[in-house]
């Protein structure tokens, strides 16, 4: 055993590979997922103290297989499932033969697992939630925050989704071309949410989780050629290029307008710009291509004052037409404020206050605070910043908003 850094990141990377290996061997989605979670927990407790195994993937598959077999053998009420696994699996495997002894042990089933989680029998929200759980390694709380629903609701949704996949008895393999096309939209949405969670973590002490974003980019690169797939990949690249400048030396959040653009990853910027430039003329424009075009306008500006905000506002008008949702409206309000002034931005925010999904969201409150600050209403702006900070679940975001409030009204903090 040798000690290696980044156990949490390694486990997140290996989780979908291990789950894919177990499903391919045993074909029982829900039980396999439970066994993998137990193996991941064991590794999280054991590896930091004893060191990471030389073959961490094989270790996890072996431990998860043993947990699964133990669970099946101990559940008399599920004898039918035990019989099915026993009949389908050689006795040597039931005795927990080393999983990495298989000829295709290094096979990565992440993409096939991604499409399995986007099974047509599931609703779109359930597909996305299940995939975020199985592929992205997000907690139920993180997924609930992404969907703006209570954690208990999301837990029930994930449980029902796992049961549906199990009942369908669908094998772990890439679907046929026609079926793959039907599932692609849900797959892209899943990868979009995984990337966003990695770029701005829902909660925790760190602003970003780079491994999540890297995994989303990796899986997106594996998808079949499609204009919206290319648009999503370009969006990820153009956005992730700014990651080095998003935090200061102490880990504090640095807003886009204040970032040192010389720290942006110019290789990713160039790849993203080239990709979206080649994709837009190919056919019908979709939401991911429009978002990539917005990111491109930001990344092409040498400094914040050079940003072409009228073009960004035009693109947000198109995006709101293609994919209307309150977060798009919130981002469009920022563009409106940059073009027509903060009062116009506040007028748009007023429309979002009646939407229960965003009425008390910290980003809506932060935008309101920023507009009020620009208008010179510093007391109201400080109050809105404090309210936003109270509702933010990410420590860096909360610290940033609290600092803004203190700067405007220090005597109230």
């Amino acid at each position: 055993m040798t000690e290696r850094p980044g156990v949490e990141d390694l486990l997140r990377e290996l989780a979908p590979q291990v789950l894919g290996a177990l499903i391919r061997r045993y074909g029982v989605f829900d039980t396999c997922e439970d066994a993998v979670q137990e193996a991941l927990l064991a590794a999280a407790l054991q590896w930091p103290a004893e060191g990471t195994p030389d073959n961490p993937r094989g270790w996890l598959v072996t431990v998860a297989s043993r947990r699964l077999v133990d669970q099946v053998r101990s559940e008399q009420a599920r004898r039918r499932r035990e019989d099915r696994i026993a009949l389908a699996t050689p006795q040597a495997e039931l005795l927990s033969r080393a999983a990495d002894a298989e000829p295709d042990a290094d096979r990565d089933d992440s993409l096939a697992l991604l499409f399995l989680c986007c099974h047509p029998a599931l609703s779109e929200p359930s597909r996305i939630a299940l995939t975020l759980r199985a592929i992205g390694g997000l907690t139920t709380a993180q997924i609930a925050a992404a969907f703006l629903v209570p954690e208990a609701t999301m837990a029930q949704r994930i449980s029902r989704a796992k049961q549906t996949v199990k009942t369908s008895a669908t094998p772990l393999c890439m679907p046929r071309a026609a079926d793959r096309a039907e599932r692609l939209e849900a797959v892209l949405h899943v990868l979009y949410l995984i990337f966003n969670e990695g770029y701005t973590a829902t909660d925790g002490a760190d602003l970003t989780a780079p491994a999540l974003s890297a995994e989303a980019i990796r899986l997106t690169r594996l998808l079949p050629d499609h204009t919206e797939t290319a648009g999503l990949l370009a969006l990820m690249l153009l956005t992730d290029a700014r990651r080095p400048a998003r935090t200061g030396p102490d880990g504090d959040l640095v807003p886009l307008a204040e970032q040192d653009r010389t720290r942006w990853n110019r290789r990713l910027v160039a790849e993203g710009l080239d990709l979206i430039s080649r994709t837009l003329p190919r056919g019908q424009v979709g939401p991911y291509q429009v978002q990539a075009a917005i990111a491109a306008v930001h990344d092409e500006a040498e400094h914040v004052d050079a940003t072409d905000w009228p073009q960004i506002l035009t693109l947000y008008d198109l995006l709101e037409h293609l994919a209307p949702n309150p977060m798009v409206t919130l981002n469009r309000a920022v563009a409106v404020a940059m073009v027509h002034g903060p009062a116009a931005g506040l007028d748009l925010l007023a429309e979002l206050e009646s939407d229960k999904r965003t009425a008390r969201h910290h980003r809506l409150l932060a935008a309101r605070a920023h507009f009020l600050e620009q208008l010179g209403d510093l007391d109201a702006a400080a109050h809105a910043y404090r309210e936003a900070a109270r509702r933010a679940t990410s420590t860096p975001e909360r610290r940033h908003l609290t600092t803004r409030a203190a700067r405007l009204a220090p005597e109230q903090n």
Side-chain angles (χ1 to χ4, degrees), residues 15 18-20 22-23 26-43 60-72 74-75 78 81 85 113 130 133-134 140 155 158-163 166:
V18 175
L19 179 56
L22 257 69
I23 294 175
Y26 299 112
V28 190
F29 185 95
D30 59 335
T31 308
C32 288
E33 208 268 341
D34 290 341
V36 169
Q37 292 302 317
E38 291 188 28
L40 293 172
L41 177 59
L60 288 168
V61 173
T62 299
V63 171
S65 296
R66 288 172 178 163
R67 297 293 173 89
L68 184 146
V69 171
D70 288 345
Q71 180 180 350
V72 170
S74 66
E75 294 177 355
R78 300 184 181 181
R81 177 191 297 165
I85 292 179
L113 182 58
L130 182 60
R133 185 79 174 88
T140 302
I158 293 173
S159 178
R160 288 195 298 267
K162 288 164 62 175
Q163 187 66 26
K166 183 194 73 171

Side-chain angles (χ1 to χ4, degrees), residues 18 69 110 139 144 188 209 246 253 271 284 291 296 303 309-310 330 345 362 372 374 391 396:
V18 175
V69 171
S110 296
T139 65
L188 293 178
R246 292 193 71 228
L253 182 154
E271 183 182 358
Q284 184 176 2
Q291 290 180 76
H303 51 83
W309 282 105
L330 177 57
H362 75 279
L372 289 169
Q374 289 180 313
R391 298 187 180 280

Side-chain angles (χ1 to χ4, degrees), residues 93-392:
E93 290 192 9
L94 288 174
L95 294 175
S96 299
R97 176 173 61 86
D100 51 335
E102 299 177 7
D104 60 350
D106 290 332
R107 175 169 144 194
D108 187 351
D109 290 304
S110 296
L111 193 58
L113 182 58
L114 184 61
F115 277 88
L116 178 63
C117 290
C118 293
H119 194 281
L122 297 172
S123 67
E124 180 174 309
S126 294
R127 295 175 189 174
I128 296 167
L130 182 60
T131 309
L132 287 171
R133 185 79 174 88
I135 302 291
L138 274 66
T139 65
T140 302
Q142 289 172 321
I143 302 171
F147 276 91
L148 307 176
V149 299
E151 183 176 350
T153 300
M154 185 54 63
Q156 293 176 354
R157 183 178 298 171
I158 293 173
S159 178
R160 288 195 298 267
K162 288 164 62 175
Q163 187 66 26
T164 298
V165 171
K166 183 194 73 171
T167 303
S168 73
T170 303
L172 182 68
C173 61
M174 287 296 292
R176 294 174 302 175
D179 295 334
R180 190 160 61 234
E182 291 180 3
R183 297 193 208 176
L184 183 60
E185 183 177 351
V187 168
L188 293 178
H189 193 182
V190 165
L191 295 175
Y192 175 72
L193 287 177
I194 293 175
F195 176 84
N196 285 345
E197 181 62 31
Y199 192 70
T200 304
T202 303
D203 55 25
D206 297 324
L207 179 65
T208 68
L212 269 184
S213 294
E215 179 67 3
I217 291 173
R218 184 185 76 84
L219 289 173
T220 305
R221 290 187 187 277
L222 295 177
L223 290 173
D225 183 47
H226 182 273
T227 53
E228 274 292 77
T229 300
L232 177 58
L233 179 57
L235 172 63
M236 291 177 176
L237 296 172
L238 291 165
T239 304
D240 206 51
R242 306 175 203 144
R243 184 188 299 272
R246 292 193 71 228
T247 53
D250 53 1
D252 284 346
L253 182 154
V254 179
L256 177 61
E258 301 172 17
Q259 289 177 12
D260 177 0
R261 300 187 177 209
T262 63
R263 297 183 62 201
W264 289 359
N265 187 322
R266 290 298 164 184
R267 179 185 61 81
L268 293 183
V269 170
E271 183 182 358
L273 289 175
D274 177 68
L275 184 57
I276 192 59
S277 297
R278 288 186 287 107
T279 301
L280 285 173
R282 286 174 55 187
Q284 184 176 2
V285 175
Y288 294 118
Q289 295 170 73
V290 176
Q291 290 180 76
I294 293 170
V297 176
H298 281 295
D299 286 15
E300 286 177 316
E302 294 184 2
H303 51 83
V304 64
D305 294 334
T307 305
D308 189 345
W309 282 105
Q311 183 180 0
I312 289 176
L313 178 55
T314 298
L315 289 168
Y316 269 120
D317 289 341
L318 176 58
L319 182 59
E320 196 166 41
H321 173 73
L322 292 172
N325 70 65
M327 284 301 172
V328 171
T329 302
L330 177 57
N331 289 329
R332 180 175 174 272
V334 175
V336 167
M338 295 302 296
V339 176
H340 301 297
L346 279 175
D347 289 340
L348 281 182
L349 294 187
E351 299 177 10
L352 292 173
E353 292 179 349
S354 60
D355 192 320
K356 63 181 180 181
R357 294 172 294 177
T358 54
R360 303 185 69 78
H361 197 281
H362 75 279
R363 290 192 179 133
L364 174 62
L365 292 166
R368 173 179 294 283
H370 181 61
F371 297 159
L372 289 169
E373 181 181 356
Q374 289 180 313
L375 289 169
D377 192 345
L378 302 188
D379 288 342
H383 175 74
Y385 276 129
R386 285 193 297 271
E387 282 296 308
R390 276 194 280 269
R391 298 187 180 280

